[in-house]
Amino acid sequence: FSNGHAYHINSISLNSDCETFISADDLRINLWNLGVSDTSFNIVDIKPDNMEELTEVITAASCHPDHCNLFLWSNSRGSIKMADTRDRALCDTHAKAFEEEDDPSRRSFFSEIISSIADVRFSRDGRHILSRDYMCLKLWDINMEAKPIRTIYVHEQLRSKLCDLYENDAIFDKFQCAFSNDAKWLMTGSYHNYFHIYDRIGKGDVCIEATKMPKKKLLGKTRLNLPRAKSKRPDEAASGDMDLDKKVLHCAWHPTEPCVAVGALNTVFVYAHADGKEAARALPMTK
């Protein structure tokens, strides 16, 4: 599948019909057929006639899990747009836009950078949308466009360090997010090889350090059965103690099983719960 994009591809999402998929770069989203590798259809194009007038770029895109005509994409200005290919071939106008107004008290030089959405996903039932920017994980109801139904501040402890993070380019890190198969849990990564699994409804937060030797485990039928690291939680530790070179940028949840995979440095860690016992496996990546 070549010659479909002129810019870096940031997202690929398989459609629910299992015959087509979308790919997105900074300015365009294309629709492909799995059986045709040399032709694609452009369904979103935000490239202005004059590039000096460019005010936003596409950062992520995702297909609806049930309706092959629906898809959404996020941009660098912190908004999420949903479109319907039944309306028109080129979806230059959106059906819905999910965007939260900025809090004037939190405005700063870095506001536009940290509000850029790095990843966006539908829940498996299509009822909710999960988005991740640098500071927050946001849960949206597809019927409520004005504001998210929940905001989780993953990196609030780093707000006072934004200047330092800007100087070493860490502020541009892109963390992915994921729903569990039943949409009851939300997952995203952080620094120091930590990743978080949050209870969608309650306030539960399972914080795990991606390591080959988990030192402590969390058991209980009412809680997610995954190992918990013994070291300090990142929100309890001083931000200066966090290793910014160790980070979990990529994560994925198995579509049917209680199993997650995260990428930390050059290793993929797979955490699973099988036969009532927890297991963690490290799979080193080789070039």
Side-chain angles (χ1 to χ4, degrees):
F1 300 90
S2 59
N3 303 321
H5 292 276
Y7 303 94
H8 174 73
I9 296 174
N10 55 49
S11 297
I12 295 177
S13 180
L14 181 66
N15 220 330
S16 60
D17 58 10
C18 295
E19 296 180 357
T20 58
F21 68 93
I22 62 173
S23 60
D25 64 23
D26 290 346
L27 300 178
R28 294 185 176 93
I29 300 177
N30 293 336
L31 177 67
W32 301 80
N33 188 291
L34 289 171
V36 183
S37 62
D38 59 353
T39 303
S40 63
F41 298 94
N42 181 224
I43 54 177
V44 174
D45 188 347
I46 65 171
K47 183 178 180 179
D49 295 332
N50 183 1
M51 287 297 288
E52 294 182 356
E53 299 176 356
L54 183 67
T55 59
E56 64 184 57
V57 295
I58 298 169
T59 56
S62 181
C63 294
H64 192 279
D66 295 321
H67 303 292
C68 60
N69 54 289
L70 297 177
F71 68 99
L72 54 81
W73 75 95
S74 59
N75 62 29
S76 57
R77 301 183 68 179
S79 64
I80 303 168
K81 298 179 181 179
M82 183 186 298
D84 190 338
T85 54
R86 295 175 300 181
D87 290 341
R88 60 189 68 196
L90 182 62
C91 301
D92 49 357
T93 59
H94 51 271
K96 290 187 175 185
F98 304 86
E99 186 173 5
E100 185 178 22
E101 293 186 7
D102 290 338
D103 183 353
S105 64
R106 286 177 171 261
R107 292 287 301 177
S108 70
F109 171 79
F110 307 104
S111 294
E112 290 189 7
I113 300 175
I114 62 177
S115 65
S116 176
I117 297 177
D119 195 17
V120 61
R121 303 290 177 95
F122 276 108
S123 61
R124 192 164 179 80
D125 58 6
R127 172 68 186 277
H128 296 96
I129 297 170
L130 187 64
S131 66
R132 173 67 201 270
D133 57 39
Y134 186 75
M135 303 296 289
C136 305
L137 188 67
K138 295 182 179 181
L139 179 67
W140 303 79
D141 188 307
I142 63 169
N143 297 316
M144 295 175 58
E145 302 174 46
K147 62 179 181 179
I149 58 177
R150 186 180 180 191
T151 300
I152 300 171
Y153 296 96
V154 182
H155 284 163
E156 189 64 21
Q157 75 276 14
L158 298 178
R159 189 172 292 274
S160 62
K161 303 291 184 180
L162 291 179
C163 185
D164 296 334
L165 295 169
Y166 179 78
E167 291 181 356
N168 61 23
D169 290 338
I171 198 172
F172 299 104
D173 287 335
K174 306 297 183 183
F175 294 92
Q176 290 184 346
C177 59
F179 276 105
S180 63
N181 57 326
D182 56 7
K184 293 181 178 180
W185 301 91
L186 320 173
M187 178 171 63
T188 191
S190 183
Y191 291 111
H192 212 77
N193 278 4
Y194 287 108
F195 66 98
H196 292 264
I197 299 179
Y198 299 96
D199 187 343
R200 178 174 65 84
I201 299 176
K203 296 182 179 181
D205 173 12
V206 179
C207 179
I208 304 169
E209 182 180 5
T211 175
K212 297 179 181 179
M213 298 295 292
K215 299 178 181 179
K216 189 177 180 180
K217 297 182 178 181
L218 178 65
L219 298 172
K221 296 182 179 180
T222 60
R223 300 294 299 275
L224 189 68
N225 292 316
L226 290 172
R228 180 195 291 270
K230 184 181 291 185
S231 53
K232 291 182 179 179
R233 291 164 53 96
D235 54 350
E236 295 173 349
S239 57
D241 297 335
M242 297 181 66
D243 190 342
L244 301 181
D245 292 326
K246 295 180 179 180
K247 47 197 169 187
V248 176
L249 298 178
H250 305 284
C251 62
W253 204 299
H254 194 282
T256 58
E257 302 294 333
C259 176
V260 301
V262 298
L265 296 178
N266 65 338
T267 305
V268 175
F269 293 92
V270 178
Y271 292 88
H273 180 259
D275 299 327
K277 296 182 180 180
E278 296 157 347
R281 179 181 301 173
L283 306 176
M285 298 175 65
T286 57
K287 294 183 179 181

